[in-house]
């Protein structure tokens, strides 16, 4: 038995929506997971090729095994995993969330009793592995998601994004570990900054779902980006330059990728101004989230 799982890149925070808002993007990792008679084989092409050597410590393997065990029964005797990765690693585009979601969804699809592992169970496990639901929620559901914690576990809701929203990701060569970026945040922030972010986060939801002309004001942040700027000065400078030009721009997740929202036709002019040290990805919002299909000739993973 084998399945093909496609998981989208995501951008969390989106400026003021720290640890709460996330957006699914049309940049994908494609993974085949197959039950085998014995052993473990991992093949990776594209981003993160070095992760093929991690064996049982590979994130997809670990999440697959944890989910399979939670559903119950004996573990599968062997696994074959083939990954075609397009989501840059350690750049703030949700690569670890995508891998986590792939492992869990593949386990649910391949387990004989996987049907009893609900979507809420998937969200809870993915959040526990990742630490926060802001990336795993859009990866699972697509569109714009709002995630929060309750005493009963993480919750999320999904919203459609206005047709005029065009995200562009500016990806640098260097990486930044999420743990390092999070370690730069202060334990407390001024009340005025917290209040300002609350208003901007509410405005951002309105802007993304129907009023994109408000995105410049709506993406203003006071909670995390300035504190993290010393770890990614080039990214912080690019956000400042784009915003000074009137382009809504934010640090994507923990960085160092910069995410901007552009009008139709504006992406090319921005790209020429940014320079050659950034990989520029004009994208759309993925409306569906991760999907699982049985393996056949049409769904076979390829690097194309």
């Amino acid at each position: 038995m084998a399945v093909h799982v496609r998981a989208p890149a995501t951008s969390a925070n989106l400026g003021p929506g720290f640890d709460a808002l996330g957006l699914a993007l049309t940049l994908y990792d494609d993974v085949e997971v197959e039950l085998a008679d014995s052993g473990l084989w991992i093949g990776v092409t594209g981003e993160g090729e070095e992760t093929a050597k991690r064996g049982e410590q590979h994130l997809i393997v670990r999440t697959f095994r944890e989910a399979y065990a939670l559903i119950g029964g004996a573990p599968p005797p062997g696994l074959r995993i083939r990954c075609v990765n397009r989501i840059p690693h350690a750049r703030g585009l949700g690569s670890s969330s995508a891998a986590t979601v792939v492992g869990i969804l593949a386990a649910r699809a391949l387990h004989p009793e996987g049907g009893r592992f609900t979507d809420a169970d998937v969200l809870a496990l993915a959040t526990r592995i990742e630490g926060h639901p802001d990336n795993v929620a859009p990866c699972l559901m697509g569109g714009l998601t709002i995630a929060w914690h309750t005493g009963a576990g993480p919750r999320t809701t999904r919203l459609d994004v206005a047709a005029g929203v065009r995200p562009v990701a500016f990806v640098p060569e260097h990486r930044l570990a999420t743990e390092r970026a999070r370690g730069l945040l202060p334990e407390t922030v001024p009340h005025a900054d917290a209040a300002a972010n609350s208003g901007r986060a509410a405005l951002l939801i309105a802007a993304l779902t129907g009023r994109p002309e408000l995105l410049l004001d709506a993406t203003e942040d006071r909670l995390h980006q300035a504190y993290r700027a010393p770890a990614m000065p080039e990214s912080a400078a690019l956000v400042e330059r784009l915003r000074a030009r009137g382009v809504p721009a934010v640090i994507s997740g923990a960085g160092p990728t910069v995410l901007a929202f552009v009008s139709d036709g504006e992406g090319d002019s921005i790209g020429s101004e940014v320079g050659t040290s950034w990989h520029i990805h004009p994208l759309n919002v993925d409306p569906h989230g991760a999907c699982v299909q049985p393996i056949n000739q049409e769904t076979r993973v390829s690097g194309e």
Side-chain angles (χ1 to χ4, degrees), residues 123-193:
L123 177 65
L125 177 57
T127 299
R128 176 159 61 81
I129 293 170
E130 270 292 289
H132 300 276
D134 50 345
N135 276 116
V136 296
C139 187
L140 285 167
M141 302 179 68
L144 169 68
T145 57
I146 309 166
W148 67 99
H149 290 277
T150 72
R155 297 289 183 268
T156 186
T157 190
R158 180 198 175 282
L159 298 168
D160 289 323
V161 174
V165 174
R166 293 284 183 269
V168 176
F170 300 91
V171 183
E173 289 286 350
H174 62 277
R175 299 182 176 190
L176 177 63
T178 299
E179 294 79 7
R180 182 186 172 201
R182 189 167 286 274
L184 294 172
L185 300 179
E187 292 186 5
T188 61
V189 296
H191 188 278
D193 289 349

Side-chain angles (χ1 to χ4, degrees), residues 33-58:
V33 181
E34 182 178 5
L35 301 183
D37 292 334
S38 63
L40 172 64
W41 180 87
I42 305 169
V44 180
T45 58
E47 297 285 341
E49 290 185 353
E50 73 281 359
T51 65
K53 302 174 183 177
R54 293 180 183 171
E56 289 292 338
Q57 294 306 307
H58 193 283

Side-chain angles (χ1 to χ4, degrees), residues 45-110:
T45 58
E47 297 285 341
E49 290 185 353
E50 73 281 359
T51 65
K53 302 174 183 177
R54 293 180 183 171
E56 289 292 338
Q57 294 306 307
H58 193 283
L59 184 54
I60 292 176
V61 177
R62 288 192 284 117
T63 56
F64 179 95
R65 295 206 187 283
E66 188 165 351
Y68 206 94
L70 279 175
I71 298 170
L79 284 175
R80 292 181 59 85
I81 298 174
R82 183 179 180 218
C83 309
V84 175
N85 294 338
R86 303 174 187 88
I87 305 172
H89 284 208
R91 305 299 209 290
L93 287 170
S95 61
S96 63
S97 291
T100 298
V101 166
V102 164
I104 297 171
L105 292 183
R108 181 170 72 169
L110 292 171

Side-chain angles (χ1 to χ4, degrees), residues 266-285:
E266 191 179 18
D268 292 340
S269 63
I270 292 175
S272 62
E273 180 179 289
V274 167
T276 59
S277 60
W278 300 81
H279 298 281
I280 303 173
H281 297 272
L283 302 168
N284 287 305
V285 176

Side-chain angles (χ1 to χ4, degrees), residues 254-268:
T257 291
V258 171
L259 190 75
F261 297 100
V262 303
S263 303
D264 289 337
E266 191 179 18
D268 292 340

